Amino acid sequence: MNRIFSLSFACVVLLISSCTNFLEETPRTQLPAESYFSDPRTIEAAVNALYKIGPNSWYSPGAYDGNRHMQGGWISGLFDNLNYKGQEIWIQFAQTFTMTSNNVDVRMGNLFNDPYISIQRANLIIEILPTLDLVATGMTEAQRTRFDAEARFFRAQNYLWLVRHFGDVPMAIETQDSGDDMYLPRTDVKTIYESVIIPDLLKAIEVLPIRNQYNNSGRITATVASAHLIDAYVQMAGFPVNDASKWGLAAAEAKKFLPGGAYESFFKLEDNEDFEELSAYNKFRSVNVNSPSPGGRKLSSCLEFIYVCEYQSGITGAGFSNTAWSLEVGALGTTEAKVSITNNAYKPMPRRLAVYDTVNVRDLRMKERQFFANYYDKMDGSRFPNPELNTPSPYFFHDWGAMKLENNSGRHFAIYRLAEMYLFAAEAIAKSEGVTAQAVDALATIRARAYEWGYDEAERESGKPKTDVVTELSTLSVDRFIEEVWVERYREFVFEFKDWNLIQRTRKYPKTNPMDSSIPLGTARFVDITTVGTDFSGGKLFSLDYLLWPLPESQLQRNPNLVNNPGYEGKP
Amino acid sequence: MTRNAVSQSHQLNVQYGSKKSSSGVFLNYTDNQGIVLNTGIKLVSGRFTHDSKPLNWLSTAMNMMVNHTWQSVTPIGSGGMDALRSNIEMPPLFPIKFPDGTWSNTTYKIYGFEYEAMANPVHYLNSRTDMRYRTHIMGNAALTFYIAEGLELKTQFGMNSRIYRRREHQPFGIINHDNNGKGKVNAEESDRLYWQEETFLTYKKVIDRHRLTAMVGLSWMEETYSRFTNDVGNFTTNAFGVYNLGAGSEQNTQQSEWQRWAMNSYFTRLAYTFSDKYSFTFTARVDGSSKFGANNKYAFFPSGGVAWNISNEDFMKDISWIDNLKLHTSYGVTGNSELPMYRSLAVFSASTVLLNGTRASAASSSRMANPDLRWEKTKLFDIGFNLNMLKNRLNFDVSWYYKYTDDLLLEAPIPITSGYQNIMKNVGALSNKGWDIMVTGTLVSNDDFSWNASLNANYNANKIEKLNDNNADIFVGDDWLGGQSIVMRVGEPLACFWGFERLGIKDAAYVAEHGGRVGTAIRSANRTIIGRGMPDWTGSFINRFRYKNFDFLAEFQFVVGGNIRLDCTHTIEDRFGLTSGIRSLMTEAWTEGKPTDLPNQVQAIRIGSFDGQDSQLDSRFVSSASYLRGRHFEVGYNFPAQKIKFLNMSSLRAFVNVNNLFVICDKSFKGYDPEVSTRGQFEQNVMNYQYPVPRTFSLGVNVTF
């Protein structure tokens, strides 16, 4: 019996004494946060994670629901999602002015939440960098300042979009942990601009290299930050902050991009090599595409682009296929398209198209297959006409190689291009200095590029040389000149999701010929937004409340200190 | 697309033994064809058991099981244009193949319709393969030491290895499912290794009318899991199938992961019975799990129960029609550690982002640390009785329970300004109460004929008592049609469907006043709770009859209460025109002159993609979940022993049966079968497309030698 006892006892002792750290957890597929920031390579990886979240990721397309920058275009009534708004319901709520925190919770959640995820990642980097030992981590001081500046840039970019869409928002500038008070109240827009957006961008401009993004390994540069700073100043000068002193600052920053400015040598406006596939406008479409349209040319970069959201085909998940938005649903068969789902997701409405002067002046941008198309090519070279309802559709999104060959594209989508800096400069100079020759030249340069077309062709007498444009503009009052800048913005950036932001800061709506036949085609009368409705709003007029989105209900529930924007039913 | 499937199953069991040992060998081969083309599962399994008692103070037991399955599947309810979906949504105008032999698809324009791109389901099922291979090896060995009279020490060790391989081929040519015309192969391998060691000491003693059982023990268990996946795309030929990953030129989505969890427990159990009338049981466990915060790995779970066997009391002796009457009640605490691993730790997750035309490493913090993460505890109280009467011909087993779950483990929502959507936390509380009722009876019993019936019914009502600090709703499940789809809200049961209410249909007068389009739905302005996934009653009713050598079985299954959400209502009714739809469009769709104020009406038919389809997750998607199923009917014949003696058989039975003979359900339900597989812990009774449930006829014999 002794033998049995000792055997059993040995068994038990063996089991109890084995592996004292049996219940410890040591993940291998992730890294523990405590020791993460120990090497410049891992620190840079944490910075890299900021590049594709927030406003940049909102460019990524869905065939059905378009992208997240389109929401403003849809509520403005200037654009429609033709084929799939029946299932992508927040579009209809926007169009009919019936958004509530509840019924668009998910979509607004996307717009509200992503920036904060990015902001807190940036906060963590900004907080931790000064605490790191350079020797122990092997990081150089230059790396540390660059990481800090890039993180600050992204924090500013995310706040810029947050305040545009939501107005006053919680200002999270420190990381939090589970024991902290997480219920931040809203901070007014002006304070957020002054204490985060502007200082962070200034810091980025000071530290980061003055270069073209294409010559900086795709990373953020001082020029990218400048473009954001100009946008931020212009926004501050308009509603809701209305700080007119910012016009001067915006003008000074924007002049860096003009001829003679500090950034002049890094950028160049694209020119029209012809008025077909090699026009400036078609070049924007073909930056880093796989195969250009017949007659087109593939560009590896574009010196007009200041900041791009880059894509790359051949790398799974890195490609872009906004070509799906260039045609209506089911337009093409398998022999004609690799794209299974097409949808005219951002169809310009007649009132939007009427800003182009197709009667008195031939605007190249409105010419067939520049920004718009009425027909597409078949593989055999013959033409496939769009159905009437779909006409014209956005040729700007069309990517021949993606549509016909790969359904995937490396097309770079410009967030800011030089033309916009010219128009910012024209507006800001006019506001701060008057209609100076520099302001006129900036606007005329952009406008004349589109008017070259008719001018060069003798049989058409509708084009206009730049000198004529300059002459016309020079005589205008500041207010009239500014309106000419605005209408040019509508013509130049039709598919670059800039419209709503202009409406938000000016509170003016471009009233055009289809809305009032006394307004000539090709112009817009800028009217108080509260005096108009849309083709979708069922007679309802805009309210100023609609210029901001409702806060998502799910966030209102989580944070009792969060008060909803007016017009959206208060607390759910 | 579907077929009459033929399946077979063969089993061979051999058991033998001697005084000191016994062994068994069990073999099984099953081939189950699926009723959808090219789907099905094959299984080969072998099991060996051996028990022996080599010494008078020692016995051993071991068993080993090995099986392998080959399974061919087709996606179910994924939302993609898979075969189970295109089976319904492919317009029947299209042939399977065109006269020239090519497969049809919807991008061939017919009569001006503009359909969403889909391949026909026969093409899909014939060309695409998705194979799952599983090898399962399980073994167990135990030693029992008989230390003294009534005292034994048992230690057992078990291992369980699951090896899984998946090979999926999406050949090019299947529109909308072929990686944009490039073809794709997904390969996945994973293995899961689990072991457990358990040792316990048991003491049993009977002194007069006192019966005592005491046990103490401890256990250790661990599971490691690793997985590797590789997706390769862009092939020049479909001929390689899954057998040459190197031939694809898109080579960039490898992933691997590794996980481990472990548990360590100490437990004891005391049971005491006096005079076979009064029983007391007490158990206590200390369980430790690796998944919790550093200071909260272990938790204590006591429980106790009392039973009173009234029928053994002297005063019951004269009541002859009661055979057994027992009252029992218990109270205890149990724990739940079902949560993903590493949730108490703050970790950085790595991925890549596109930068300058290539992939650059990226990493970000995945979550906040929660060192306080601890066991979820459920307090359970139950009370009930067993009653056997009329010589055990009528038996009741009835109990009532109340469960209150504290420290509910949830992904608790936190303000996004923290940088995170949620944190795994012990925040919620949930209550469940209900009845478990079992009534069995022998209604007839004589030499030639007998009838046994048994009714089993369970009622449960649950309620969310508390969520996180501000009781913010928690949305679970996938978003559907641009909004959340399932809500957890304080005061409501789990798994409530979240959507709009369909109040009526817009007619010309309505449109003139409010805008919109004639024939589309009028809905509530906001989303609200439009149904609940949890049923009230579930149960079965089983009847066994015997007549001479024949036996009959009739088994019914029922569910009462709750709702089903059929997500494909979106495409088959509301968004009709982009795809085909179902009959309700013809029979129920609103037309001019029909009433406009009835809830949940079918919207007017709108053909074509420009005709103003309007689809939102609303109450039209929701139907009653109640049903009655004729689950199993069987007739058997037992050959009389003397007639099969010459075959050396001790028994021979032949049978024929039918499974799933009928289902009666609410007519608002538009799917195939109202029994819905559960998607997640908090997500029930949601379906999109289903794999059709077969009605199965079987013939068979059981032979014993």
Side-chain angles (χ1 to χ4, degrees):
Chain A
M1 232 11 130
N2 267 343
R3 185 181 42 179
I4 306 169
F5 271 117
S6 48
L7 188 69
S8 319
F9 186 71
C11 260
V12 171
V13 169
L14 194 74
L15 286 168
I16 293 177
S17 61
S18 62
C19 16
T20 49
N21 48 11
F22 189 66
L23 295 185
E24 252 175 47
E25 275 194 313
T26 317
R28 294 184 188 172
T29 311
Q30 293 107 15
L31 293 167
E34 309 84 68
S35 56
Y36 181 78
F37 289 91
S38 56
D39 182 298
R41 283 169 294 194
T42 57
I43 302 166
E44 183 164 65
V47 176
N48 291 348
L50 301 169
Y51 273 75
K52 275 282 166 77
I53 181 166
N56 294 359
S57 68
W58 297 344
Y59 288 93
S60 295
Y64 306 103
D65 61 349
N67 77 24
R68 291 186 239 169
H69 286 291
M70 292 179 181
Q71 190 79 8
W74 289 321
I75 191 176
S76 71
L78 300 172
F79 297 88
D80 190 14
N81 181 318
L82 191 60
N83 305 132
Y84 280 102
K85 68 177 170 186
Q87 69 177 46
E88 310 298 328
I89 204 62
W90 62 90
I91 299 167
Q92 293 192 44
F93 291 131
Q95 288 182 328
T96 54
F97 302 158
T98 51
M99 284 195 284
T100 68
S101 287
N102 171 301
N103 68 21
V104 292
D105 185 35
V106 169
R107 196 68 173 184
M108 288 305 137
N110 290 335
L111 295 168
F112 188 79
N113 300 346
D114 283 6
Y116 280 109
I117 293 171
S118 186
I119 284 163
Q120 284 294 9
R121 288 178 184 176
N123 285 340
L124 178 61
I125 294 165
I126 294 164
E127 275 172 26
I128 210 157
L129 281 172
T131 70
L132 298 176
D133 185 305
L134 291 180
V135 179
T137 55
M139 177 170 55
T140 65
E141 187 58 45
Q143 281 176 317
R144 173 147 71 185
T145 25
R146 175 167 70 82
F147 295 153
D148 175 73
E150 288 190 20
R152 284 178 190 278
F153 165 79
F154 283 110
R155 184 165 73 173
Q157 187 204 24
N158 280 285
Y159 271 116
L160 182 59
W161 280 96
L162 272 175
V163 297
R164 276 177 178 172
H165 282 331
F166 296 100
D168 303 346
V169 292
M171 190 167 80
I173 46 172
E174 285 170 358
T175 56
Q176 296 178 340
D177 67 39
S178 56
D180 288 344
D181 172 15
M182 295 186 191
Y183 307 121
L184 301 178
R186 298 172 70 165
T187 299
D188 69 280
V189 175
K190 189 163 188 275
T191 306
I192 293 174
Y193 272 113
E194 285 172 352
S195 38
V196 192
I197 299 174
I198 301 298
D200 276 356
L201 288 173
L202 287 172
K203 179 85 181 171
I205 293 167
E206 178 198 325
V207 169
L208 295 174
I210 301 174
R211 271 191 210 151
N212 187 309
Q213 185 195 6
Y214 280 113
N215 289 323
N216 195 44
S217 306
R219 304 195 78 87
I220 301 304
T221 62
T223 57
V224 172
S226 280
H228 283 80
L229 183 67
I230 296 163
D231 203 347
Y233 280 146
V234 168
Q235 190 79 25
M236 287 180 82
F239 291 102
V241 179
N242 272 327
D243 177 358
S245 72
K246 293 295 182 286
W247 284 119
L249 294 171
E253 195 69 22
K255 282 178 186 175
K256 291 181 180 174
F257 288 96
L258 295 184
Y263 300 157
E264 187 194 8
S265 61
F266 302 105
F267 304 99
K268 184 177 139 314
L269 288 170
E270 286 295 342
D271 52 5
N272 298 312
E273 287 176 47
D274 64 18
F275 301 113
E276 309 294 334
E277 285 290 320
L278 297 180
S279 69
Y281 310 106
N282 271 323
K283 288 181 194 170
F284 304 149
R285 279 196 318 113
S286 36
V287 181
N288 206 32
V289 297
N290 301 343
S291 313
S293 311
R297 183 191 301 157
K298 175 178 172 169
L299 303 181
S300 57
S301 64
C302 173
L303 289 180
E304 183 161 339
F305 288 0
I306 294 168
Y307 184 40
V308 300
C309 198
E310 68 166 290
Y311 294 90
Q312 184 72 35
S313 66
I315 295 183
T316 306
F320 194 42
S321 61
N322 66 5
T323 191
W325 306 327
S326 61
L327 291 166
E328 94 284 11
V329 66
L332 301 167
T334 36
T335 50
E336 291 298 333
K338 294 297 183 200
V339 177
S340 318
I341 301 292
T342 52
N343 169 26
N344 202 344
Y346 203 61
K347 175 195 148 69
M349 297 298 290
R351 61 169 65 185
R352 182 65 177 79
L353 294 167
V355 298
Y356 293 100
D357 189 347
T358 52
V359 178
N360 300 311
V361 178
R362 292 292 185 121
D363 189 320
L364 177 57
R365 294 166 292 203
M366 189 58 185
K367 189 186 173 220
E368 175 65 19
R369 301 222 282 185
Q370 295 293 325
F371 281 165
F372 307 95
N374 293 292
Y375 66 86
Y376 288 89
D377 290 321
K378 288 194 169 182
M379 287 301 250
D380 63 8
S382 65
R383 287 176 173 189
F384 166 82
N386 272 343
E388 193 184 343
L389 248 172
N390 192 46
T391 303
S393 63
Y395 194 64
F396 184 80
F397 296 131
H398 191 62
D399 180 340
W400 189 88
M403 181 65 83
K404 299 290 187 187
L405 306 175
E406 287 217 47
N407 183 27
N408 202 344
S409 174
R411 175 180 175 177
H412 290 182
F413 198 93
I415 298 170
Y416 290 111
R417 53 187 170 89
L418 189 55
E420 190 170 12
M421 299 306 119
Y422 273 56
L423 296 182
F424 273 144
E427 187 175 358
I429 294 169
K431 279 284 196 183
S432 56
E433 303 168 24
V435 185
T436 66
Q438 198 178 19
V440 170
D441 185 72
L443 171 56
T445 304
I446 302 308
R447 180 172 291 180
R449 179 166 67 172
Y451 289 175
E452 280 175 17
W453 168 45
Y455 177 65
D456 276 359
E457 294 184 27
E459 72 273 18
R460 295 196 182 101
E461 294 179 343
S462 47
K464 239 182 228 184
K466 185 176 169 188
T467 47
D468 288 9
V469 180
V470 168
T471 310
E472 280 170 16
L473 293 172
S474 302
T475 60
L476 298 179
S477 68
V478 170
D479 287 347
R480 277 289 304 124
F481 180 82
I482 296 290
E483 290 190 349
E484 287 301 315
V485 175
W486 293 345
V487 79
E488 205 56 43
R489 289 187 64 96
Y490 278 104
R491 294 172 186 151
E492 182 72 17
F493 305 115
V494 57
F495 295 122
E496 286 161 89
F497 319 116
K498 306 281 181 186
D499 291 9
W500 187 242
N501 190 225
L502 181 61
I503 292 172
Q504 284 173 315
R505 72 175 161 93
T506 62
R507 299 191 175 171
K508 293 276 195 274
Y509 193 86
K511 200 171 196 180
T512 56
N513 181 275
M515 302 165 71
D516 179 346
S517 56
S518 72
I519 300 169
L521 268 175
T523 61
R525 188 183 299 155
F526 289 91
V527 299
D528 187 332
I529 188 164
T530 56
T531 63
V532 291
T534 74
D535 296 339
F536 309 101
S537 66
K540 270 190 269 183
L541 302 181
F542 279 101
S543 143
L544 288 182
D545 293 342
Y546 303 151
L547 295 176
L548 297 177
W549 305 143
L551 296 183
E553 180 176 346
S554 51
Q555 292 300 327
L556 293 169
Q557 285 188 1
R558 288 163 201 223
N559 181 353
N561 293 331
L562 213 51
V563 181
N564 207 350
N565 277 325
Y568 296 110
E569 303 183 340
K571 294 291 259 191
Chain B
M1 200 209 94
T2 56
R3 59 184 172 186
N4 287 324
V6 179
S7 298
Q8 45 182 326
S9 177
H10 309 278
Q11 279 150 47
L12 178 68
N13 302 341
V14 180
Q15 283 168 287
Y16 53 93
S18 67
K19 247 183 191 172
K20 293 215 156 180
S21 71
S22 68
S23 298
V25 175
F26 308 86
L27 299 173
N28 178 351
Y29 171 75
T30 300
D31 180 358
N32 260 322
Q33 268 191 358
I35 61 170
V36 171
L37 279 182
N38 291 324
T39 61
I41 185 164
K42 271 193 273 194
L43 163 85
V44 174
S45 102
R47 190 155 70 89
F48 172 75
T49 61
H50 182 76
D51 297 317
S52 75
K53 194 158 191 262
L55 298 165
N56 62 1
W57 51 269
L58 175 70
S59 69
T60 67
M62 69 165 292
N63 75 73
M64 273 279 301
M65 192 275 290
V66 179
N67 73 38
H68 186 81
T69 58
W70 296 256
Q71 187 181 14
S72 172
V73 305
T74 195
I76 299 166
S78 65
M81 199 47 96
D82 297 307
L84 293 173
R85 181 171 166 201
S86 56
N87 184 38
I88 303 292
E89 295 190 20
M90 180 103 180
L93 291 167
F94 289 92
I96 292 171
K97 282 187 174 179
F98 290 118
D100 67 0
T102 55
W103 296 105
S104 78
N105 70 59
T106 53
T107 63
Y108 296 92
K109 297 193 170 209
I110 297 182
Y111 307 127
F113 281 96
E114 294 194 320
Y115 294 117
E116 206 165 272
M118 63 186 109
N120 79 64
V122 178
H123 180 199
Y124 181 104
L125 290 167
N126 274 314
S127 307
R128 197 180 140 114
T129 57
D130 187 352
M131 290 298 300
R132 319 278 171 98
Y133 307 92
R134 293 182 180 85
T135 306
H136 187 187
I137 305 166
M138 200 167 77
N140 214 318
L143 298 175
T144 309
F145 303 95
Y146 304 98
I147 298 168
E149 178 70 31
L151 182 67
E152 34 178 275
L153 179 77
K154 184 170 181 182
T155 181
Q156 56 186 16
F157 181 78
M159 279 189 85
N160 192 343
S161 161
R162 289 167 186 276
I163 299 163
Y164 172 72
R165 279 192 304 136
R166 177 180 181 203
R167 294 289 183 271
E168 184 191 21
H169 183 211
Q170 302 176 22
F172 54 78
I174 306 177
I175 190 167
N176 206 355
H177 264 290
D178 59 357
N179 189 24
N180 304 311
K182 293 182 286 186
K184 192 170 160 189
V185 173
N186 303 320
E188 179 180 350
E189 316 242 312
S190 72
D191 61 83
R192 197 179 283 279
L193 184 68
Y194 169 84
W195 64 261
Q196 174 183 332
E197 154 61 41
E198 198 175 25
T199 300
F200 48 90
L201 191 67
T202 314
Y203 180 69
K204 285 182 185 160
K205 188 76 183 171
V206 180
I207 305 169
D208 300 336
R209 297 193 292 174
H210 308 275
R211 211 147 29 94
L212 179 75
T213 308
M215 184 269 284
V216 290
L218 73 174
S219 71
W220 307 82
M221 56 192 84
E222 181 187 44
E223 184 177 88
T224 51
Y225 171 73
S226 70
R227 176 169 156 271
F228 177 81
T229 64
N230 196 345
D231 290 3
V232 174
N234 205 12
F235 290 81
T236 53
T237 169
N238 287 331
F240 291 124
V242 300
Y243 301 108
N244 191 343
L245 288 181
S249 66
E250 278 177 15
Q251 291 274 353
N252 35 34
T253 42
Q254 294 84 0
Q255 287 184 343
S256 66
E257 67 172 319
W258 180 91
Q259 288 181 333
R260 170 190 179 270
W261 61 264
M263 275 184 74
N264 170 217
S265 304
Y266 304 88
F267 44 86
T268 181
R269 181 170 183 274
L270 285 170
Y272 168 72
T273 304
F274 175 72
S275 190
D276 285 338
K277 290 178 194 162
Y278 314 103
S279 310
F280 305 90
T281 314
F282 171 75
T283 66
R285 315 180 48 95
V286 173
D287 287 315
S289 165
S290 62
K291 293 174 180 175
F292 297 110
N295 304 321
N296 295 296
K297 303 242 188 231
Y298 288 92
F300 177 61
F301 302 104
S303 72
V306 187
W308 179 24
N309 201 331
I310 303 172
S311 46
N312 286 352
E313 294 285 356
D314 294 345
F315 59 79
M316 293 291 288
K317 268 187 182 145
D318 299 333
I319 308 178
S320 60
W321 53 275
I322 289 181
D323 308 305
N324 178 32
L325 176 61
K326 186 171 159 186
L327 294 180
H328 59 84
T329 180
S330 73
Y331 175 80
V333 184
T334 58
N336 174 24
S337 61
E338 285 301 311
L339 77 163
M341 278 140 270
Y342 313 121
R343 285 311 169 97
S344 70
L345 306 174
V347 293
F348 265 67
S349 297
S351 60
T352 60
V353 295
L354 181 71
L355 206 54
N356 207 28
T358 60
R359 288 199 171 277
S361 292
S364 56
S365 171
S366 302
R367 55 181 163 262
M368 281 185 183
N370 182 5
D372 299 328
L373 199 64
R374 58 188 181 273
W375 283 81
E376 173 182 309
K377 290 186 174 178
T378 298
K379 294 167 199 148
L380 167 68
F381 171 75
D382 70 9
I383 183 163
F385 68 90
N386 301 76
L387 171 63
N388 302 18
M389 49 199 276
L390 307 175
K391 300 202 180 334
N392 289 320
R393 282 184 64 168
L394 188 57
N395 307 318
F396 297 88
D397 180 354
V398 176
S399 58
W400 180 87
Y401 61 83
Y402 180 79
K403 287 197 273 189
Y404 191 87
T405 304
D406 245 348
D407 283 352
L408 193 63
L409 284 165
L410 287 172
E411 294 278 11
I414 52 176
I416 191 65
T417 46
S418 66
Y420 305 93
Q421 286 277 17
N422 42 45
I423 180 171
M424 182 56 90
K425 233 171 146 181
N426 301 84
V427 285
L430 176 72
S431 67
N432 275 282
K433 51 188 147 190
W435 290 91
D436 289 325
I437 299 165
M438 171 96 143
V439 183
T440 57
T442 305
L443 302 175
V444 183
S445 177
N446 60 46
D447 287 348
D448 281 345
F449 182 66
S450 71
W451 175 15
N452 284 293
S454 127
L455 174 74
N456 187 350
N458 311 90
Y459 172 82
N460 185 64
N462 71 25
K463 188 170 134 190
I464 298 168
E465 304 281 352
K466 184 162 107 47
L467 290 173
N468 56 344
D469 300 349
N470 297 309
N471 284 331
D473 294 340
I474 298 180
F475 293 98
V476 293
D478 298 331
D479 290 351
W480 183 237
L481 296 178
Q484 300 100 338
S485 62
I486 292 185
V487 67
M488 292 177 69
R489 175 171 281 187
V490 171
E492 302 291 341
L494 285 173
C496 283
F497 305 145
W498 185 244
F500 298 95
E501 281 174 296
R502 188 176 296 191
L503 306 169
I505 299 286
K506 296 173 185 168
D507 59 7
Y510 183 96
V511 168
E513 195 177 337
H514 302 280
R517 188 180 281 261
V518 172
T520 57
I522 302 168
R523 300 187 177 89
S524 57
N526 285 324
R527 289 184 168 86
T528 181
I529 290 173
I530 53 173
R532 59 195 169 88
M534 307 283 276
D536 296 325
W537 287 94
T538 56
S540 63
F541 181 49
I542 302 172
N543 292 277
R544 292 172 194 281
F545 306 91
R546 183 184 52 75
Y547 178 70
K548 296 196 170 159
N549 285 334
F550 288 95
D551 57 69
F552 305 90
L553 172 70
E555 182 181 340
F556 304 87
Q557 178 193 8
F558 62 87
V559 166
V560 179
N563 300 106
I564 292 172
R565 201 185 83 208
L566 188 68
D567 282 352
C568 60
T569 307
H570 159 56
T571 43
I572 59 179
E573 280 187 358
D574 285 350
R575 213 198 59 170
F576 175 72
L578 284 160
T579 67
S580 189
I582 59 168
R583 185 171 48 188
S584 59
L585 285 164
M586 278 176 63
T587 56
E588 296 173 47
W590 186 84
T591 51
E592 206 65 58
K594 281 194 180 176
T596 55
D597 54 351
L598 301 175
N600 302 331
Q601 274 174 288
V602 183
Q603 302 185 76
I605 293 178
R606 281 138 306 129
I607 296 169
S609 57
F610 307 125
D611 204 11
Q613 283 97 343
D614 182 344
S615 186
Q616 301 173 37
L617 175 45
D618 69 15
S619 47
R620 170 74 193 165
F621 287 49
V622 174
S623 64
S624 162
S626 303
Y627 69 87
L628 172 69
R629 182 193 305 278
R631 186 185 175 83
H632 191 88
F633 297 88
E634 180 164 320
V635 183
Y637 181 76
N638 286 290
F639 289 88
Q642 66 273 21
K643 288 201 170 155
I644 53 171
K645 225 178 205 169
F646 72 100
L647 289 167
N648 266 338
M649 292 173 181
S650 60
S651 79
L652 174 64
R653 175 173 177 269
F655 63 89
V656 53
N657 70 38
V658 52
N659 247 306
N660 189 31
L661 182 64
F662 63 86
V663 180
I664 300 168
C665 58
D666 194 277
K667 73 173 194 299
S668 61
F669 174 70
K670 300 179 288 293
Y672 297 133
D673 193 292
E675 188 171 343
V676 187
S677 54
T678 300
R679 285 195 200 169
Q681 185 189 3
F682 302 121
E683 193 178 5
Q684 291 204 350
N685 273 10
V686 176
M687 63 167 88
N688 197 344
Y689 282 98
Q690 294 175 282
Y691 193 96
V693 181
R695 181 174 302 135
T696 313
F697 298 88
S698 306
L699 285 172
V701 287
N702 303 114
V703 184
T704 310
F705 294 98

